[in-house]
Amino acid sequence: MNENAIFVTHDLAVGYRNGKNVVTLLEGLNLTLEKGKLVALLGQNGAGKSTLLRALTCDERPLSGSIQVNGKNLLEMSQKERSRLIGLVSTERIQAGALTVTELVGLGRQPHTGFLGRMDDEDREIVRQAMADAGIIGKADEYIASLSDGERQKAMIARALAQQTPIIILDEPTAFLDVASRIETMRLLQTLAHDRGKAVLLSSHDISQSLMLADELWLITTDRQVVTGSTRQLVADGAMDHLFDNRSIHFNPQILDYSF
């Protein structure tokens, strides 16, 4: 048994319900997240990346199978218990324009402070450090409504950091960022994994950055299989050639990206 495994799925199936019909996108998933690893989830649009992440965080219940965190059934936990284990950064636009960045990031302390959110000096320092780590502390007193998309995304990452969870799951965390901010964010997530021992899973369309910085990959192939393994090994095995339907593009290992 892998002693670093903190998050494990058994025969998981994910999809959605359309009236009485059940649409299965991915099934038979036996996935593992390890402490100290940065994992990138890659696949073409519509492959089921966001659906999988919602199921893994119990934002939407999986169709079947089980999820265990530290050997306990995630699906049987309360929302508060889950929020102490998993920090989530989603792509959904937040309705928090009337909050300052500090107030938004402070919401990440709710699993520890209770609904009223009464923070002590230690909590406030954790919030300050989370903003600093996410590169948004310069906007601490500004309202969320006044931020750019990239700044808002950094604030959401800071909120997840303030939760101090052993697992962080992010859906397209660099989607709205410029090139420099993408690199900065990916390196931050790598640091959280390597230096702080967190298990970090992110979905991304940024193939090159993911391959350069991720320790492991979860690849959703064109036939809806999820192939997992070390980044180096999957690239060497040619697994990246099975990511897209378009046969006019080819993976180029020299640039760690696709070209025509």
Side-chain angles (χ1 to χ4, degrees), residues 100-102 131 135-143 146-148 151:
T100 66
V101 171
T102 298
M131 291 188 292
I136 196 66
I137 196 166
K139 302 284 183 178
D141 297 323
E142 296 193 20
Y143 288 101
S146 70
L147 302 182
S148 67
E151 290 167 341

Side-chain angles (χ1 to χ4, degrees), residues 12 14 50-62 67:
L12 198 72
V14 303
S50 293
T51 301
L52 176 57
L53 293 188
R54 287 196 295 271
L56 294 179
T57 58
C58 296
D59 189 36
E60 292 182 7
R61 196 170 184 87
I67 305 171

Side-chain angles (χ1 to χ4, degrees), residues 175-189:
F176 305 115
L177 305 183
D178 58 30
V179 174
S181 294
R182 287 180 196 173
I183 296 172
E184 178 186 358
T185 299
M186 288 293 290
R187 285 181 174 166
L188 165 63
L189 297 176

